[in-house]
Amino acid sequence: MRASKIIPVLVLLIIASTGFADAQCKAFAKSECLPKLSGYTHDGNYHAAVLMEGEEAELYKTFYSDMDYRVSIVGDEKLPSVEFRVLDADRNVLYTNKDKNYASTWDFKLQSSQQLKFIIKVTSSSNHSSGDAPASGCVAIMFGFKLN
Amino acid sequence: MNKIFRIGSGILVVMSLFIMLCSGCRGGKKSEQEVIRVDMVDKTAILEDIEKAERVFQALPSPLESAMLIKSSGAGFDQKLLNPVSNANNYVTSKSMALNLGIYTCDLSYASLYEQTQLLIDYMEAAKKMADGLGILRAIEQKNIDELEQNINNSEVIMKIVSETFMNSNSYLEENDQPATASMVLLGGWIEGLYLSTKLVNMNNFDGNKLVSRIIDQKLSIDILLNLLSGSKGNPAIDELISEVTKLKIVFDKIRLDTSPVRPVYDEASEATILRSEVKTDMTPEVFSELAALASEIRNSFVK
């Protein structure tokens, strides 16, 4: 009887918390990711998701010649480092922030317009031996541009 | 009584699990439709990559970016090309309001970059009407319009307000599980950018025209657009739009766009990476005319 009361409540709480976490990503993106585009005009697009340790997201976008770009990719402080790689249409890796101490921004410009692919991965922390659940939190991706 | 309660609880648990499963495969999350990707490179490899990703974002140029591309090409301003704000009263369906939220946002971005101050306010109000009609809470508030009026000569603040209000709209739609509407807003903005660009091309100066190059560049986004819409496949409004965009893809496929391998070079002076590559493109005036006519036809069907 008691279990039959508790289970539905727990399930509904989980659903509610998932929606709440999503809604929190907008506030997180605005407060933590957007300021890192300082000096650039944010394009106005919004890309954010709740990811767990070890999970990946991908983003496809066309970038244009004659523009300077900055990408800002920021993860919630509960998460380990967020790694991102940038690939061209032939899947050649053009940049990885792993070599830059997981820097959250990258400035770039293009000689000719290209479609690029961003692979964003929340790294896994090594201290799960105690059985802790993997951390999850918002990861926001934003682009700024200016004419060069 | 207990039995009835147990059955009721069981139904609730099943329904809750069903909702959870559905929320896990909603638009924006990886879905079967989103795996549809047509590109110039190895499709199998890309499909394998997408299977691995928890989340796939298809990022179209925003209306602000589209307007900036027009401005950077040196094209002029022509008010006659904009969708009149008086049309805003005609849009009563979610589809027409979403498409025209994107269109008006592109028009207001275009007006703002050419310092058309009164037009900018009028178009922000038209965009607000669309956002309000879609139930997007606090996307564009009166305080944003007041702030625009107070900073009418400050282009930096204007761009920030335009960017912020657009982000308010698309983040609201994303977080309130309305990916189809969000896709339509982006499509509206993109098609308006393409329409304005094709109308502003001076055919007497076709070869080497920078605006023509920008139009060719849109070939790079057509598959992104189709993938974005495919995420909401099955929605009748989206299915119609996929059919329209597919017609555009057929014309874009007639344009040659070959890029050499990309070489990243770090530039100490600007502290930025330069992605070096050469591109060969070819679009005949005939293909351009076909593209321009189709872009006009689609755009005019959205604003009527």
Side-chain angles (χ1 to χ4, degrees), chain B residues 128-145:
Chain B
K128 178 177 180 349
K129 196 175 174 69
M130 300 299 98
D132 290 349
L134 288 165
I136 303 174
L137 302 176
R138 294 189 294 277
I140 306 171
E141 297 184 273
Q142 188 54 46
K143 69 175 185 189
N144 299 124
I145 295 173

Side-chain angles (χ1 to χ4, degrees), chain B residues 140-180:
Chain B
I140 306 171
E141 297 184 273
Q142 188 54 46
K143 69 175 185 189
N144 299 124
I145 295 173
D146 295 343
E147 199 182 350
L148 270 184
E149 286 174 338
Q150 286 156 15
N151 293 280
I152 210 70
N153 296 315
N154 187 336
S155 59
E156 202 170 305
V157 174
I158 289 171
M159 299 263 277
K160 189 169 170 283
I161 296 168
V162 172
S163 159
E164 190 180 322
T165 52
F166 188 67
M167 178 174 144
N168 288 342
S169 296
N170 63 50
S171 60
Y172 179 92
L173 294 170
E174 170 80 16
E175 293 191 335
N176 287 277
D177 209 7
Q178 298 180 53

Side-chain angles (χ1 to χ4, degrees), chain B:
Chain B
M1 181 69 180
N2 283 349
K3 190 176 177 184
I4 292 169
F5 180 79
R6 277 199 298 275
I7 293 168
S9 301
I11 291 169
L12 191 55
V13 170
V14 170
M15 281 176 67
S16 303
L17 288 171
F18 177 75
I19 294 166
M20 284 176 77
L21 287 170
C22 286
S23 70
C25 59
R26 69 186 186 192
K29 284 272 182 185
K30 181 181 68 179
S31 67
E32 198 177 338
Q33 287 90 346
E34 281 178 310
V35 174
I36 300 166
R37 178 174 166 76
V38 185
D39 211 331
M40 65 288 276
V41 294
D42 181 358
K43 276 191 264 181
T44 313
I46 286 174
L47 288 174
E48 281 170 9
D49 282 353
I50 289 178
E51 284 295 338
K52 276 191 246 163
E54 171 65 19
R55 182 74 190 253
V56 180
F57 296 101
Q58 306 287 349
L60 270 189
S62 68
L64 186 57
E65 199 175 357
S66 295
M68 181 64 92
L69 291 171
I70 295 172
K71 168 90 173 175
S72 70
S73 72
F77 181 80
D78 186 347
Q79 186 183 340
K80 295 193 297 295
L81 297 176
L82 307 183
N83 181 24
V85 290
S86 56
N87 280 353
N89 293 323
N90 301 342
Y91 309 128
V92 290
T93 65
S94 294
K95 180 185 174 185
S96 62
M97 285 189 280
L99 290 168
N100 283 286
L101 174 55
I103 288 170
Y104 281 136
T105 306
C106 186
D107 286 349
L108 79 88
S109 302
Y110 177 54
S112 73
L113 292 174
Y114 289 82
E115 295 165 4
Q116 301 290 319
T117 50
Q118 186 50 51
L119 274 181
L120 168 61
I121 306 285
D122 295 345
Y123 276 84
M124 184 60 94
E125 281 172 349
K128 178 177 180 349
K129 196 175 174 69
M130 300 299 98
D132 290 349
L134 288 165
I136 303 174
L137 302 176
R138 294 189 294 277
I140 306 171
E141 297 184 273
Q142 188 54 46
K143 69 175 185 189
N144 299 124
I145 295 173
D146 295 343
E147 199 182 350
L148 270 184
E149 286 174 338
Q150 286 156 15
N151 293 280
I152 210 70
N153 296 315
N154 187 336
S155 59
E156 202 170 305
V157 174
I158 289 171
M159 299 263 277
K160 189 169 170 283
I161 296 168
V162 172
S163 159
E164 190 180 322
T165 52
F166 188 67
M167 178 174 144
N168 288 342
S169 296
N170 63 50
S171 60
Y172 179 92
L173 294 170
E174 170 80 16
E175 293 191 335
N176 287 277
D177 209 7
Q178 298 180 53
T181 307
S183 306
M184 287 190 272
V185 174
L186 285 167
L187 169 61
W190 183 82
I191 201 79
E192 184 72 349
L194 181 64
Y195 167 80
L196 293 174
S197 303
T198 54
K199 288 288 181 190
L200 289 165
V201 167
N202 176 359
M203 291 306 285
N204 296 322
N205 180 25
F206 187 80
D207 292 330
N209 187 317
K210 200 167 175 185
L211 190 51
V212 173
S213 300
R214 291 301 190 203
I215 293 165
I216 293 172
D217 287 342
Q218 299 312 310
K219 179 181 167 83
L220 295 164
S221 290
I222 195 80
D223 289 327
I224 291 177
L225 176 53
L226 279 169
N227 286 336
L228 180 73
L229 294 170
S230 294
S232 302
K233 213 170 180 177
N235 175 319
I238 291 286
D239 290 348
E240 278 177 31
L241 296 170
I242 289 174
S243 162
E244 296 297 301
V245 175
T246 302
K247 290 182 202 164
L248 270 177
K249 178 176 165 53
I250 291 167
V251 183
F252 271 114
D253 283 346
K254 297 177 184 177
I255 301 169
R256 179 182 166 217
L257 197 160
D258 297 327
T259 309
S260 69
V262 181
R263 304 177 310 281
V265 178
Y266 184 72
D267 179 44
E268 298 273 355
S270 60
E271 297 182 332
T273 303
I274 303 173
L275 302 179
R276 295 200 182 282
S277 62
E278 288 77 45
V279 67
K280 286 182 183 165
T281 62
D282 186 23
M283 176 166 66
T284 64
E286 291 73 27
V287 171
F288 171 79
S289 299
E290 191 181 353
L291 183 65
L294 187 55
S296 283
E297 183 189 318
I298 295 172
R299 183 267 192 184
N300 290 337
S301 74
F302 291 172
V303 302
K304 74 178 178 191

